[in-house]
Amino acid sequence: DVKVTQSSRYLVKRTGEKVFLECVQDMDHENMFWYRQDPGLGLRLIYFSYDVKMKEKGDIPEGYSVSREKKERFSLILESASTNQTSMYLCASSRPIQGYGYTFGSGTRLTVV
Amino acid sequence: AQSVTQLDSQVPVFEEAPVELRCNYSSSVSVYLFWYVQYPNQGLQLLLKYLSGSTLVKGINGFEAEFNKSQTSFHLRKPSVHISDTAEYFCAVIKQIASGGSYIPTFGRGTSLIVHP
């Protein structure tokens, strides 16, 4: 069964810490995405990557950066975590093909205290 | 710019009753539309999608959706719901961008379907 795996299900970090959220896919997909999910706001795109070392800002990139050194791995980095970054983070992958679906990981619930 | 509006944040319904979850989109170009479901503590799963052709699209778990271009809608329906259908449902419009020819989904805010026994 194909998978998108997020390394942590729950994470608690302190304000000001540097936080890494890891995502790995085993489907050889070109595209990978990071979303944050908040109640009443749905999913909002933070960053996406369409190839190794290539990245594009989404709708809410402020306070985040990403890294894609290998095709299967896409990391989201919070340079200095803040309480307003407490959220559910979802990673997804896909191919650049019309109508191709998006495979999501189970999410990482991050709490910043 | 593309956007998706899910008109109901929460839809309560009794088991075995029919349900419709509403989705309207705005787009200046041809659209591809998806519905995803998120069960508690899980990621999103694809229910169904519309790319072209027949405006009535059938998906998994007995769900279907109808694309209506004139009303810019893509409502999700099920004739008889089960307790296990309790979940969050997201409508998404897909746009193609210049970077790598990729397709990027924009999601609605979600509708929480609550099925009561």
Side-chain angles (χ1 to χ4, degrees):
Chain A
D1 197 15
V2 294
K3 275 187 178 176
V4 173
T5 303
Q6 296 184 230
S7 55
S8 303
R9 186 78 181 94
Y10 298 95
L11 214 50
V12 181
K13 295 292 182 182
R14 296 193 182 279
T15 301
E17 277 192 77
K18 189 169 186 176
V19 181
F20 293 85
L21 303 184
E22 305 288 346
C23 176
V24 177
Q25 50 98 1
D26 64 0
M27 297 161 284
D28 201 36
H29 284 172
E30 292 83 356
N31 295 350
M32 295 187 76
F33 308 82
W34 274 108
Y35 287 89
R36 66 176 281 175
Q37 181 180 10
D38 299 288
L41 297 179
L43 278 73
R44 293 178 291 168
L45 182 64
I46 304 172
Y47 268 97
F48 71 94
S49 168
Y50 55 91
D51 202 348
V52 175
K53 297 190 187 295
M54 306 304 288
K55 61 185 179 185
E56 291 281 342
K57 292 180 180 179
D59 299 319
I60 52 164
E62 296 79 19
Y64 303 95
S65 62
V66 290
S67 172
R68 194 165 180 203
E69 297 297 318
K70 294 184 178 181
K71 190 175 185 180
E72 67 271 17
R73 185 180 297 270
F74 191 36
S75 303
L76 180 69
I77 304 157
L78 286 67
E79 295 290 341
S80 177
S82 64
T83 55
N84 62 14
Q85 292 179 308
T86 291
S87 186
M88 171 68 86
Y89 290 87
L90 292 169
C91 175
S93 71
S94 184
R95 289 195 186 281
I97 298 172
Q98 175 188 331
Y100 202 92
Y102 302 83
T103 303
F104 281 82
S106 298
T108 296
R109 185 166 293 281
L110 172 67
T111 301
V112 182
V113 298
Chain B
Q2 298 190 146
S3 69
V4 177
T5 302
Q6 291 185 243
L7 296 162
D8 306 295
S9 60
Q10 209 172 76
V11 173
V13 64
F14 286 110
E15 195 173 19
E16 298 184 6
V19 71
E20 179 180 82
L21 306 183
R22 298 181 292 170
C23 173
N24 285 88
Y25 68 91
S26 65
S27 175
S28 58
V29 297
S30 298
V31 294
Y32 312 118
L33 294 157
F34 288 28
W35 273 100
Y36 276 85
V37 60
Q38 184 182 33
Y39 298 105
N41 298 314
Q42 295 186 26
L44 276 68
Q45 301 173 31
L46 181 64
L47 267 181
L48 48 79
K49 58 186 174 183
Y50 172 79
L51 306 179
S52 65
S54 173
T55 56
L56 184 63
V57 180
K58 294 192 183 295
I60 62 172
N61 300 340
F63 284 92
E64 63 182 30
E66 185 158 18
F67 173 65
N68 188 318
K69 188 175 182 179
S70 61
Q71 296 186 8
T72 60
S73 67
F74 190 54
H75 300 335
L76 181 71
R77 301 186 183 103
K78 186 169 182 177
S80 176
V81 295
H82 302 287
I83 295 285
S84 59
D85 292 322
T86 295
E88 193 83 12
Y89 292 80
F90 293 94
C91 182
V93 61
I94 316 299
K95 68 176 180 180
Q96 187 175 22
I97 62 167
S99 301
S102 302
Y103 293 85
I104 308 297
T106 297
F107 289 88
R109 295 189 174 195
T111 297
S112 180
L113 175 63
I114 303 168
V115 182
H116 296 284

